[in-house]
Amino acid sequence: MQASLSNLLLTPDNQQIHTALLQEIGGYIRTEILDHPLIVEDSGNISILLDGSTALGIMDDTSDIDIVLVCRDERYGPVTARFEQAGMIPEHSSLFVDVHLPGGKTGHYTLLKLSELEQALLKGNMDWLWNASVSCLYHDPLDLGALFGRYIPLAPDFLMNLRKQTYIKLRSCAKSLDNPVRRGDAFPVLFQAVAVFKQALRCAITVEGHPYPYDKWLVPVAGQFPAGLRVLDAMKDFWSYLKDDLSYAAMYQEDNSFVKMEKQARKVLLEEFRLRNIDEPWMIEWWKYMED
């Protein structure tokens, strides 16, 4: 079973290769994990999912196979102990086992308690909300599909709070550009400009109603949605500004390239919010809500 955003970054040229890879992973899970002598007796107590770049539709030479085993809490200790006794993992460590697919792809699988996953989702852990949006479930006696379905799509109140948080963080990072820009202090300008770019992309993805991914996927994921494309267009000169010494010269803040870029991205986000009939106080007086 594939989640709502699985294959998000898949291109038509990669479709056949990706399908074959998912089938290869399924075969590996059946023969090398579910039938593994240290796991087989607990196969009914473990659900197995694929997350990471392969689930998202990215396939290149650097993409690992990321497989997660989720087990009933009471079976975590016995399964881990069997791997320790077999010398496959160090004593008192978590399960982390290498994966080597017949076709040459490599990666790993890990073991997680069901309660830990439930708590992560309940607390709004962004990594697991993202994983719930992109994971492919291969074996699911614990019904993780239903668990993920309780959190994805994001609940309206949670989504609005997430939009609020990312927008306020954007404004806070932009405000922190003021003094470094006036001083022409290169490294603080660079650090804050990167933070502005990151928060703008996160906000654009939440505008579209989705959790945001790990930082390494922010740009390609944002580019799959209209609001994200608009923000990326507003910030299209980001790389050239990094190489432009004038961006680090002392100047009035309104003249600085990074400041101009943030204002354009913010304009896009405000328009996107209002297109969705969202007009909240924190969109203007953002500083009043920083502690929420």
Side-chain angles (χ1 to χ4, degrees):
M1 184 180 79
Q2 295 182 325
S4 58
L5 296 184
S6 64
N7 296 343
L8 182 68
L9 301 184
L10 188 65
T11 65
D13 291 343
N14 287 336
Q15 182 70 57
Q16 188 173 354
I17 297 173
H18 188 249
T19 299
L21 180 57
L22 293 182
Q23 291 173 347
E24 184 182 9
I25 291 169
Y28 182 92
I29 288 172
R30 287 190 299 275
T31 60
E32 303 297 326
I33 298 180
L34 289 173
D35 289 342
H36 194 292
L38 302 179
I39 294 178
V40 64
E41 69 180 83
D42 276 303
S43 61
N45 297 309
I46 293 175
S47 287
I48 302 178
L49 60 89
L50 171 74
D51 66 5
S53 54
T54 307
L56 196 53
I58 302 172
M59 296 152 300
D60 58 32
D61 293 340
T62 63
S63 300
D64 288 337
I65 305 301
D66 300 305
I67 297 172
V68 181
L69 281 59
V70 181
C71 71
R72 301 188 195 278
D73 287 27
E74 65 272 16
R75 302 312 302 163
Y76 183 87
V79 172
T80 303
R82 291 198 291 268
F83 276 82
E84 288 179 0
Q85 292 163 8
M88 294 187 65
I89 60 172
E91 290 186 11
H92 310 299
S93 69
S94 57
L95 194 68
F96 188 98
V97 180
D98 289 338
V99 166
H100 297 276
L101 297 183
K105 278 285 189 182
T106 61
H108 59 268
Y109 64 83
T110 56
L111 183 67
L112 180 71
K113 294 178 182 177
L114 177 60
S115 65
E116 293 175 343
L117 173 54
E118 290 172 332
Q119 283 299 307
L121 291 168
L122 183 63
K123 293 178 179 178
N125 179 282
M126 193 54 53
D127 286 352
W128 267 108
L129 288 171
W130 173 252
N131 286 339
S133 299
V134 302
S135 294
C136 299
L137 278 163
Y138 278 91
H139 178 71
D140 197 22
L142 306 189
D143 204 8
L144 297 188
L147 175 63
F148 291 163
R150 295 205 294 269
Y151 294 92
I152 301 297
L154 298 174
D157 289 348
F158 179 86
L159 176 59
M160 186 60 71
N161 190 53
L162 189 58
R163 289 165 167 167
K164 172 183 173 182
Q165 289 176 6
T166 55
Y167 184 78
I168 289 170
K169 286 179 181 177
L170 166 64
R171 297 304 308 275
S172 179
C173 290
K175 182 65 176 175
S176 296
L177 269 172
D178 289 358
N179 288 341
V181 164
R182 287 179 178 273
R183 297 187 185 110
D185 201 348
F187 282 113
V189 167
L190 177 59
F191 296 155
Q192 289 306 124
V194 170
V196 164
F197 194 12
K198 179 166 70 173
Q199 295 302 336
L201 293 176
R202 286 179 171 181
C203 189
I205 293 168
T206 68
V207 163
E208 297 286 358
H210 303 291
Y212 53 78
Y214 316 128
D215 290 353
K216 63 182 178 180
W217 292 328
L218 273 173
V219 170
V221 168
Q224 300 302 306
F225 303 112
L229 281 172
R230 293 190 65 203
V231 168
L232 285 169
D233 184 64
M235 308 180 92
K236 62 181 179 294
D237 293 325
F238 188 85
W239 176 239
S240 66
Y241 293 163
L242 294 182
K243 299 182 290 186
D244 181 358
D245 288 342
L246 293 178
S247 295
Y248 305 119
M251 66 183 73
Y252 178 57
Q253 66 193 53
E254 300 297 325
D255 295 330
N256 181 268
S257 297
F258 289 119
V259 174
K260 291 178 180 178
M261 181 181 67
E262 183 274 331
K263 289 182 181 297
Q264 184 62 29
R266 188 193 337 149
K267 179 176 180 289
V268 166
L269 290 168
L270 287 174
E271 289 175 357
E272 291 288 346
F273 278 134
R274 286 168 178 149
L275 283 172
R276 293 160 175 79
N277 297 316
I278 299 170
D279 194 0
E280 298 288 331
W282 49 262
M283 293 165 58
I284 304 301
E285 296 181 318
W286 56 274
W287 61 91
K288 293 182 179 181
Y289 301 86
M290 290 182 64
E291 301 303 320
D292 287 7

